[in-house]
Amino acid sequence: MRAVRFYGPQDVRVDFVAEPTCGAGQVKVRPAFVGICGTDVHEYLAGPILTPIKPHPLTQEHNPVTLGHEFSGEVTEIGEGVAGAKVGDRVAVLPILYDGTCDACLRGYINCCERLGAFGFTGWGGGLSESVVVPRSHIYLLPDQISLELGALIEPLSVAWHAVKSSPFNPGDSVLILGGGPIGISIIQVLKAQNAGHIIVSELSTERQALCTQFGANHVIDPREVDVVSKSYELCGGHGVDVVFDSAGVQSALDSGFRALRTGGTVVNIASWGGPVTINVMAMMVEEKKYMAVMTYVRRDFEEVIEAVAKGLLKPDRMITSRIKLEDVVERGFKELIEHKDKHLKILVETAL
Ligand SMILES: [Zn+2]
């Protein structure tokens, strides 16, 4: 079967590999749609970062590993002893892999497992292939209302869902989002579904600014033209916002985020940073501002996102900006996202094409 595998920086190949066999407790899934994420692009450009160069503690596999962690598919085979799933089921796959035995896992932080892995990064295959075998516990049946295309968006939306849910956000709160890329726009949708007050977004790209507005941001600010801090105060009736979500990971944006925050407010980090960040702790202290960081999602987030999409509370259809073939994953996927990032929110690889 075909599989897209990572070998090294800017070396991703469509290989022919043996189809995996489906063991007890497992199901075989034929991926249908696979989203390409910023993390994939980062790995493509500068990896190996997440992909293992020596055997991964959970999977015991190392590069070349198959990529693709945001995916939906159809069940093609059921392993021995599997209940509650059958051939033909349409599913979204929970990609994170965890041991379930470490201190983090035992306390519910499966997303922070000491031996954390993921389909599509650390071995055991991934979505960018014609077949992948996963434990029964890693498939989520898609209700009829959710297409396989939207099924591939459950994973990225779960990141935003987890961020909002982990934060002190309450309905009616005003929010500033730093960065209007795929994560920022997912956060806009989750906040809309949870009845936020003002949703303000700070974003440089004019294309992305327009998308933020389409997805329901009330105010989209170009930080080069408008002062984010004074504008946030003005929009919120003279005080700052209740919560800032940082999906930009840029020092200057974080600085203005802190200053745009109301007394007692919280900055929530979802961004990946290349290095340490400077935070003015005294300025935080005198206004009891808080800083927290969130990591991917837990099972509950995945379940709640499926429910929210099925109910129409989240309508992510317009996030899909392109559909491409597996063979084109480098040229029309990774490279397109590097060269024309602002034109895209989510490129889906359609494995059947
Ligand atoms: Zn663990």
Side-chain angles (χ1 to χ4, degrees):
M1 66 166 193
R2 295 172 303 164
V4 174
R5 299 202 296 172
F6 176 87
Y7 283 82
Q10 286 154 74
D11 186 3
V12 166
R13 307 177 199 168
V14 182
D15 286 338
F16 280 91
V17 300
E19 204 174 304
T21 49
C22 186
Q26 297 179 317
V27 297
K28 192 183 274 189
V29 174
R30 179 172 59 228
F33 292 92
V34 192
I36 304 176
C37 145
T39 318
D40 295 315
V41 175
H42 199 209
E43 192 75 19
Y44 171 76
L45 276 175
I49 300 162
L50 295 175
T51 59
I53 45 174
K54 51 180 198 216
H56 183 272
L58 263 187
T59 67
Q60 302 305 324
E61 291 186 14
H62 57 79
N63 281 329
V65 294
T66 302
L67 297 174
H69 62 281
E70 303 180 354
F71 66 105
S72 63
E74 231 176 78
V75 173
T76 55
E77 195 182 328
I78 296 287
E80 206 188 304
V82 166
K86 59 182 188 310
V87 170
D89 277 346
R90 299 171 329 111
V91 298
V93 172
L94 177 85
I96 57 173
L97 295 166
Y98 56 95
D99 59 16
T101 56
C102 72
D103 180 60
C105 284
L106 292 175
R107 293 170 57 231
Y109 293 96
I110 60 165
N111 50 334
C112 305
C113 174
E114 289 168 18
R115 301 198 288 168
L116 189 68
F119 289 109
F121 278 123
T122 59
W124 290 354
L128 286 169
S129 68
E130 289 174 296
S131 196
V132 59
V133 165
V134 306
R136 161 67 185 94
S137 56
H138 283 246
I139 56 166
Y140 285 86
L141 303 186
L142 292 172
D144 293 342
Q145 308 93 299
I146 303 184
S147 65
L148 283 167
E149 281 100 322
L150 293 191
L153 301 180
I154 301 299
E155 200 271 357
L157 287 168
S158 295
V159 174
W161 192 272
H162 182 71
V164 174
K165 213 179 154 183
S166 307
S167 79
F169 168 83
N170 285 308
D173 280 356
S174 292
V175 172
L176 168 65
I177 300 170
L178 304 172
I183 294 178
I185 282 178
S186 299
I187 288 182
I188 295 173
Q189 294 174 70
V190 174
L191 289 171
K192 290 299 276 185
Q194 299 187 11
N195 301 312
H198 292 285
I199 301 176
I200 308 164
V201 182
S202 170
E203 166 60 43
L204 294 168
S205 144
T206 47
E207 280 148 317
R208 288 192 159 173
Q209 287 166 6
L211 288 165
C212 290
T213 305
Q214 280 178 35
F215 277 95
N218 305 105
H219 313 277
V220 184
I221 301 172
D222 184 334
R224 290 164 303 193
E225 288 167 10
V226 178
D227 179 54
V228 174
V229 179
S230 51
K231 191 68 184 172
S232 297
Y233 270 73
E234 182 194 317
L235 291 168
C236 297
H239 55 73
V241 297
D242 299 282
V243 186
V244 172
F245 290 95
D246 182 6
S247 66
V250 174
Q251 180 75 56
S252 58
L254 178 62
D255 293 342
S256 54
F258 263 113
R259 286 190 292 122
L261 206 57
R262 191 178 196 173
T263 302
T266 303
V267 173
V268 182
N269 180 71
I270 323 121
S272 289
W273 291 80
V277 187
T278 302
I279 291 175
N280 184 341
V281 177
M282 271 317 288
M284 279 177 77
M285 184 180 166
V286 295
E287 293 186 71
E288 289 205 343
K289 291 178 176 176
K290 301 161 194 85
Y291 187 73
M292 62 179 289
V294 291
M295 171 73 179
T296 62
Y297 40 77
V298 294
R299 286 181 173 275
R300 197 70 232 250
D301 302 305
F302 227 73
E303 289 155 12
E304 288 175 358
V305 165
I306 290 174
E307 206 179 301
V309 175
K311 282 186 182 158
L313 286 171
L314 296 175
K315 295 189 192 72
D317 314 56
R318 282 172 304 158
M319 289 184 76
I320 302 165
T321 47
S322 168
R323 288 177 178 76
I324 62 170
K325 290 195 258 188
L326 195 74
E327 276 75 14
D328 294 334
V329 69
V330 172
E331 291 303 320
R332 298 186 61 203
F334 296 127
K335 287 187 180 170
E336 177 71 13
L337 285 172
I338 293 161
E339 286 155 22
H340 305 288
K341 172 180 102 173
D342 297 342
K343 282 206 310 204
H344 291 284
L345 284 177
K346 197 50 74 181
I347 295 180
L348 291 188
V349 175
E350 189 171 356
T351 58
L353 284 178

